[in-house]
Amino acid sequence: MNLNEVLSHLEKNFDEDLERVREFLRMPSISYTGEGIEQTASKLKEIIEELGGTAEVVPTNGHPIVFGEFDEGQEHTLLVYGMYDVMPTDEEGWTVDPWGAEIKDLPKFGPCIINRGAVNTKGPLGAFFNTIRAIKEVDGKLPVNLIFAVEGEEEMGVATSLPSSNSTKRN
């Protein structure tokens, strides 16, 4: 992998990549109420498939899990765990729309995206997919295979359990 070319690609495409992250952040995905959960899980599936991977939204006894895979034919495989759910936005103190993904200049930090999930962890997940896109566009494939398990109940502090049906067993 040519790291300098990947970094140059990310710099060149920063504005477009930033807008992709902001679009993803604007999707509510509140685990406690279920608002936007199904739509966000479906969006993650679309993102993985758009980048050349395979993905499925697997129903559970709670919110669905998105399983995805990039089989690049590489020797090593990494498991990437993530979450697409966020906490509710009903607390006071928001200075902007919590789903607006507005960019504000914050003292000591500079320009920052303000949105529920911007830091924990929808923003970083969106940025990770932008990095996958850059690596694949520069090098044609990833240096490792990736398997994704992205859940929608982390913020509730519960363990998602798959239904007992054999139809959801993975090989």
Side-chain angles (χ1 to χ4, degrees):
M1 180 177 83
N2 187 326
L3 182 59
N4 288 333
E5 285 184 35
V6 171
L7 293 173
S8 290
H9 184 283
L10 287 167
E11 279 190 40
K12 182 177 127 192
N13 293 284
F14 179 81
D15 292 337
E16 183 180 334
D17 289 345
L18 176 62
E19 286 311 306
R20 267 196 287 277
V21 170
R22 292 175 73 199
E23 176 186 332
F24 184 53
L25 285 170
R26 288 183 183 115
M27 299 180 73
S29 54
I30 303 171
S31 51
Y32 283 98
T33 65
E35 180 185 355
I37 290 291
E38 296 288 333
Q39 296 87 344
T40 305
S42 293
K43 180 65 175 177
L44 280 170
K45 177 183 184 297
E46 288 175 25
I47 291 169
I48 293 168
E49 290 174 342
E50 172 191 307
L51 293 173
T54 59
E56 63 182 308
V57 177
V58 178
T60 70
N61 291 330
H63 298 319
I65 296 175
V66 180
F67 284 111
E69 183 173 10
F70 289 92
D71 184 353
E72 303 288 290
Q74 303 290 13
E75 179 181 356
H76 298 287
T77 300
L78 297 176
L79 172 64
V80 179
Y81 164 81
M83 60 188 224
Y84 61 87
D85 65 316
V86 299
M87 296 292 286
T89 60
D90 55 359
E91 74 273 19
E92 293 183 24
W94 285 98
T95 58
V96 298
D97 175 358
W99 303 113
E102 291 184 38
I103 298 173
K104 297 290 183 184
D105 197 12
L106 299 180
K108 297 184 185 178
F109 296 106
C112 296
I113 299 174
I114 309 297
N115 201 90
R116 178 59 91 205
V119 176
N120 185 18
T121 65
K122 283 175 68 178
L125 185 60
F128 187 71
F129 285 118
N130 284 337
T131 303
I132 289 172
R133 175 179 281 103
I135 293 169
K136 289 179 78 77
E137 288 180 5
V138 168
D139 289 335
K141 67 181 186 176
L142 301 171
V144 296
N145 306 309
L146 296 176
I147 295 175
F148 285 88
V150 188
E151 62 144 318
E153 293 185 339
E154 193 280 337
E155 291 294 359
M156 292 172 38
V158 299
T160 300
S161 61
L162 294 173
S164 59
S165 166
N166 287 336
S167 65
T168 59
K169 285 191 175 175
R170 297 182 53 84
N171 295 331

